[in-house]
Amino acid sequence: MTDSLVLVINSGSSSLKYQLVDTATGAAVASGLVERIGEADGIIAHTVDGETIEHSGPIADHAEGLRLAFDMFERTGHGLTSAGVAAVGHRVVHGGNVFYEPTLITDDVVAEISRLSTLAPLHNPPNVVGIESARALLPQVPHVAVFDTAFFHGLPAAASTYAIDIDVAKRHGVRRYGFHGTSHDFVSSRVAEFLGRDRADFNQIVLHLGNGASASAIERGKAIDTSMGLTPLEGLVMGTRSGDIDPGIVLHLRRSAELDVDAIDELLNRRSGLKGLSGVNDFRELQGLIDAGDEGAKLAYDVYIHRLRRYIGAYLIELGGADVITFTAGVGENSPGVRADALAGLTRFGIAVDPDRNTAKSREARVISPDGAEVTVLVVPTNEELAIARAAIRTSSSA
Ligand code: ADP
C-alpha cells in the first residue's frame, strides 16, 4: 500500500500546499495548506476524511511549516516517516530550456532550478525552499520535480518566438514557455480516455480557468500553442493578472506614472485582471456583484469572456478546426455561465452547448454539447496533484 503513497508539495512565497496522494486509487488521503509563513499569525489547515483541523501561531519559515504539516499527519494517523511515502513530488513553475521531463532531484538539479529564478523570480525561489525543506525532513525518499512548463517544451518555433531582436532574446532566455502544463497534459489525456480515443488521433482546445487561467491548442496529442508566455502573466484575463496587454503600457507607466519595475510587477500580477476591474478576484464574488447590478463587475466579466473567445477563435484556426473543446479548473468546472458565454453563437463552426447538460450538477467528466454536434464540448476536472504524484512514482522507480 505505502509504495503507492506520494506526498505532493506546491510551495509558494508565503504559503505551502500539500497533498498525500494514493496513486493506486487516485484518492487524496489528506491535504493541507500552510499560510502566512514568516508572519506572526501563520495558520495551517489539514484535512483528512473530510474533516479539517487547524493550528495557528507564528510559522517562521517553510521548514517549520512542513514540520507542522508532518505533525498533523502524525496526529491523524498517517505518519510521514520514510517508510510511509514512496516519493515526494514537487511542483516547480519554471523549467526553462533545461527541464522538460519530471526530474529526480539532486543537489545539481536544485542549483539549476535556483539558477532559473531569473526567469521566474516570484515562483522558483519558493519552490527551491520547499524542496530543500522537504529533502531535509525526508532524506531517504526520492524527490521528483515536475515542471509547469514541460508539456509546452515542444511548441513550434513560430508559436514560441517573440518578434524581438533575436540576439537579445537568446541572451536572456526570452521565449514563450507556457505554464499549467501539468494540467493541460493531464486533462487532454483524460479527454482521450473519457472518449475512448487515442490522444494522437484528434485535435483539442483545453481551457484551464482557475485563479490563473490559460488556454492550449493540442494537435494530435502535442501542444502547438498556449496562452502563457515567458511568464504566467500573458494570455487570458485572470483573477489578479492582466493577461495580454500592449507592452507599451509598461513603458508608459514607467515614464509617465514613474512607477518602478517592482510597482509595475505588483500592478500587473496582483492588482489587475478581475480584481483590477471589479475589486474582487474570486469568481463567485464577481458573480455576486454582477447579480447585485455592479457595473465594474459586469465589465470585468465581459472583458474576461471577450479575451477567452479571442483565444478560442485563434486556436480553432491554428488547429484547422478542433474535435474537442474542454473546460477545466475552478471556474471552468463550476461556471455554466462562463461556458455558455465563451461558446455562444458558434453553431456555424459546429460548436454548441446544450443548456440542460451544461447546468446539470456533476463532479465527473461530462459532455455538454448536444448529441451529434461536430465539436464535442466537455467539462473535465483537473487534478494536478495526481498527475505530479504519478510522475513522481514513474520517475523514481525508473531511476
Ligand atoms: P487555482 O488557480 O488557485 O488552483 P482554482 O482552479 O481552484 O484556482 O479556481 C479558483 C476559482 O474558481 C475562483 O475564482 C473561484 O471563485 C472559482 N470557482 C470555484 N467554484 C466556483 C463556482 N461554483 N462557480 C463559479 N466559480 C467558482
Side-chain angles (χ1 to χ4, degrees):
M1 169 80 172
T2 54
D3 59 357
S4 61
L5 287 180
V6 176
L7 179 66
V8 175
I9 294 178
N10 183 354
S11 176
S13 58
S14 65
S15 70
L16 193 150
K17 275 195 238 175
Y18 59 87
Q19 196 173 104
L20 185 65
V21 180
D22 187 343
T23 52
T25 61
V29 177
S31 62
L33 175 63
V34 189
E35 287 183 288
R36 297 200 280 277
I37 294 173
E39 294 176 38
D41 58 346
I43 184 156
I44 169 167
H46 182 87
T47 303
V48 59
D49 296 331
E51 231 176 274
T52 300
I53 44 175
E54 291 191 358
H55 168 91
S56 49
I59 301 174
D61 50 24
H62 287 70
E64 187 176 350
L66 260 186
R67 259 196 313 276
L68 287 169
F70 277 43
D71 290 346
M72 291 290 200
F73 278 105
E74 286 292 343
R75 276 168 56 184
T76 52
H78 291 286
L80 290 183
T81 58
S82 292
V85 285
V88 182
H90 295 269
R91 179 185 184 207
V92 179
V93 169
H94 219 305
N97 278 329
V98 184
F99 299 110
Y100 41 95
E101 295 287 349
T103 302
L104 195 65
I105 294 174
T106 61
D107 290 346
D108 288 347
V109 168
V110 177
E112 195 64 37
I113 294 171
S114 197
R115 205 185 55 77
L116 289 168
S117 293
T118 47
L119 287 171
L122 300 178
H123 296 101
N124 275 30
N127 292 161
V128 168
V129 173
I131 289 171
E132 288 184 326
S133 308
R135 285 178 89 205
L137 283 166
L138 284 176
Q140 312 297 342
V141 175
H143 291 247
V144 174
V146 180
F147 297 90
D148 237 30
T149 45
F151 185 57
F152 300 115
H153 176 73
L155 287 184
S160 65
T161 306
Y162 289 108
I164 65 168
D165 182 314
I166 196 150
D167 296 326
V168 172
K170 282 203 169 129
R171 203 170 322 128
H172 297 284
V174 175
R175 52 157 282 189
R176 307 189 64 254
Y177 293 93
F179 298 87
H180 287 156
T182 307
S183 177
H184 286 274
D185 188 15
F186 176 86
V187 169
S188 58
S189 298
R190 271 290 291 136
V191 166
E193 190 183 22
F194 178 72
L195 297 174
R197 299 179 72 172
D198 188 330
R199 193 164 65 153
D201 287 343
F202 63 102
N203 293 341
Q204 11 180 352
I205 294 173
V206 175
L207 305 167
H208 175 113
L209 309 176
N211 265 320
S214 62
S216 67
I218 302 172
E219 184 175 59
R220 298 181 170 276
K222 290 204 159 51
I224 60 158
D225 209 350
T226 191
S227 56
M228 286 175 168
L230 173 76
T231 74
L233 187 52
E234 189 179 344
L236 301 175
V237 175
M238 309 181 214
T240 63
R241 289 176 234 157
S242 62
D244 296 336
I245 55 166
D246 177 351
I249 293 173
V250 174
L251 311 180
H252 176 71
L253 292 175
R254 182 78 191 85
R255 291 195 185 107
S256 303
E258 293 186 9
L259 295 182
D260 66 16
V261 168
D262 290 334
I264 298 173
D265 194 329
E266 205 258 338
L267 173 77
L268 298 179
N269 275 299
R270 301 199 194 283
R271 284 194 290 128
S272 294
L274 298 175
K275 188 175 179 73
L277 291 171
S278 72
V280 298
N281 63 289
D282 187 281
F283 221 88
R284 280 165 293 195
E285 285 181 49
L286 184 80
Q287 216 81 59
L289 288 177
I290 295 171
D291 294 346
D294 186 294
E295 283 182 17
K298 178 70 172 69
L299 175 64
Y301 182 83
D302 290 346
V303 175
Y304 182 95
I305 296 291
H306 177 85
R307 184 81 51 82
L308 186 55
R309 287 171 66 87
R310 182 193 276 178
Y311 271 91
I312 294 166
Y315 290 172
L316 282 171
I317 298 297
E318 287 187 41
L319 290 166
D323 302 288
V324 184
I325 298 176
T326 303
F327 290 89
T328 192
V331 177
E333 291 167 31
N334 295 300
S335 175
V338 165
R339 298 192 295 257
D341 290 338
L343 300 180
L346 302 180
T347 46
R348 68 180 297 181
F349 300 102
I351 299 170
V353 169
D354 177 271
D356 292 335
R357 288 181 174 177
N358 187 32
T359 48
K361 292 239 178 297
S362 166
R363 299 229 150 271
E364 304 298 318
R366 57 202 184 271
V367 178
I368 58 166
S369 46
D371 287 339
E374 211 174 308
V375 178
T376 305
V377 182
L378 300 179
V379 178
V380 173
T382 191
N383 192 338
E384 287 162 287
E385 288 80 10
L386 177 58
I388 291 171
R390 284 181 180 157
I393 287 279
R394 242 187 357 258
T395 306
S396 56
S397 57
S398 65

